[in-house]
Amino acid sequence: MKIEHILAGFVPGGRGQDGLTLAVLLARRAGARLTVAHVHVPTWPTPGPGKIDAEWRAYVAAQAQTVLEQARELLAGVRDVPVDFVSHGHRGSGRGLVQLAGRLEADAVVIGPAPGGGKGRIRVGSTADQLLHTSPVPVALAPRGYAESHPPALRRLTVAYRRDPASDEAVRQAFELAGRMDVPLRLVTLVLGGGRRGGVEAEMLGRIREKVTADLDEIVRGHDDVRVDVEVLEGRDVAAALAGTDCEGAMLICASSETGPLRRVFPGDVSLKIIRSAPCPVMMVPRSPAGKRGSAGRRGKR
């Protein structure tokens, strides 16, 4: 996975700042340039009465520039990342960002959380939902309050792994990205179960633990160029399992569902639970054809 150009969707307020913070940290670590985009309501598709139409277009343009000025002020102290600013009209903010990503040949899209979520958690709103079901490039989501309590740098990538072709490909891409970013990689598998366990249940859990540990050991073979750790996380649910690992300075990578379309982001049930439960940023990567090599972000290279 190569990330050379990041598109960050921006809206006024704290959640927009959360997304910008993650975008800057990712761009800085990957050596990428950043484009900050505000998707606004479109102007009328057909011309209306001359004066009204002109006034509406001027109002929309002025509002968009005001929003982008806020983003410029927030990034005024960023000197080590090249930043551009752009506005785009679309009825759906997520679909508008997908259009811009294609037009600008961005390698990833970054946004903040939807309003109303808990601090330190990601809430999926309409923008994220559109991106998570249509984007041809990886989508990274920042948790609420990330701008206030973010790490000084992204220091590790973590991949939520289960043995299937989509996860195998996500791991391959994560190894490539970790090498480019010069950060260690951690592979985690979640083993879920709740309540008190009898002898049979405990034995079954032990076998599952042995199996996923063997799967993790197998997938890391031959990757000596990146420091990698493996970990089995256990808990009654996804949130409890993720609470058992250190996510400080990390970004969690999830594979798209095997049932989703090729070359598109498409989360499964477990991935959605991970997104909503993770105490750190999460990146969803598109589903790639089995054995596909090269950048996951550029459609012309896939």
Side-chain angles (χ1 to χ4, degrees), residues 7 28 41 55 60 75 87 117 163 185 195 204 211 215 223 228 263:
L7 177 66
R28 183 174 287 143
V41 295
E55 289 177 348
V60 170
L75 298 180
S87 62
R163 188 162 191 173
L185 182 65
M204 290 180 61
K211 177 65 168 60
D215 290 342
H223 293 282
V228 57
R263 300 183 177 87

Side-chain angles (χ1 to χ4, degrees), residues 15-16 29 39 70 103 146 149 152 176-177 184 204 210 222 229 239-240 254-255 261 270-271 283:
R15 58 196 182 101
R29 193 83 218 195
V39 179
Q70 295 180 33
R103 182 185 305 172
Y146 193 69
S149 57
E176 182 180 352
L177 182 59
M204 290 180 61
E210 291 177 1
D229 299 312
C254 288
V270 174
S271 294
M283 174 182 282

Side-chain angles (χ1 to χ4, degrees), residues 121 190 231 233-247 277-279:
R121 294 294 184 269
L190 278 58
E231 191 173 0
L233 305 179
E234 299 180 31
R236 64 184 182 277
D237 54 28
V238 171
L242 288 175
T245 190
D246 178 19
C247 288
S277 303

Side-chain angles (χ1 to χ4, degrees), residues 23 39 50 65 91 108 147 153-154 160 172 224 235-237 253 257 277 291 297:
V39 179
Q65 287 306 309
R91 294 176 65 180
L154 288 177
R172 189 200 64 76
D224 300 327
R236 64 184 182 277
D237 54 28
I253 296 176
S257 171
S277 303

Side-chain angles (χ1 to χ4, degrees), residues 10-88:
F10 180 75
V11 293
R15 58 196 182 101
Q17 191 171 356
D18 292 335
L20 277 189
T21 300
L22 175 58
V24 170
L25 291 179
L26 182 57
R28 183 174 287 143
R29 193 83 218 195
R33 60 191 176 97
L34 174 63
T35 296
V36 178
H38 174 61
V39 179
H40 57 77
V41 295
T43 54
W44 292 314
T46 56
K51 183 178 180 181
I52 296 177
D53 186 59
E55 289 177 348
W56 172 246
R57 291 178 182 274
Y59 172 79
V60 170
Q63 290 293 105
Q65 287 306 309
T66 298
V67 172
L68 290 179
E69 280 302 321
Q70 295 180 33
R72 286 189 178 92
E73 292 177 5
L74 291 171
L75 298 180
V78 176
R79 305 296 184 190
D80 55 343
V81 175
V83 185
D84 294 318
F85 299 86
V86 63
S87 62
H88 180 61

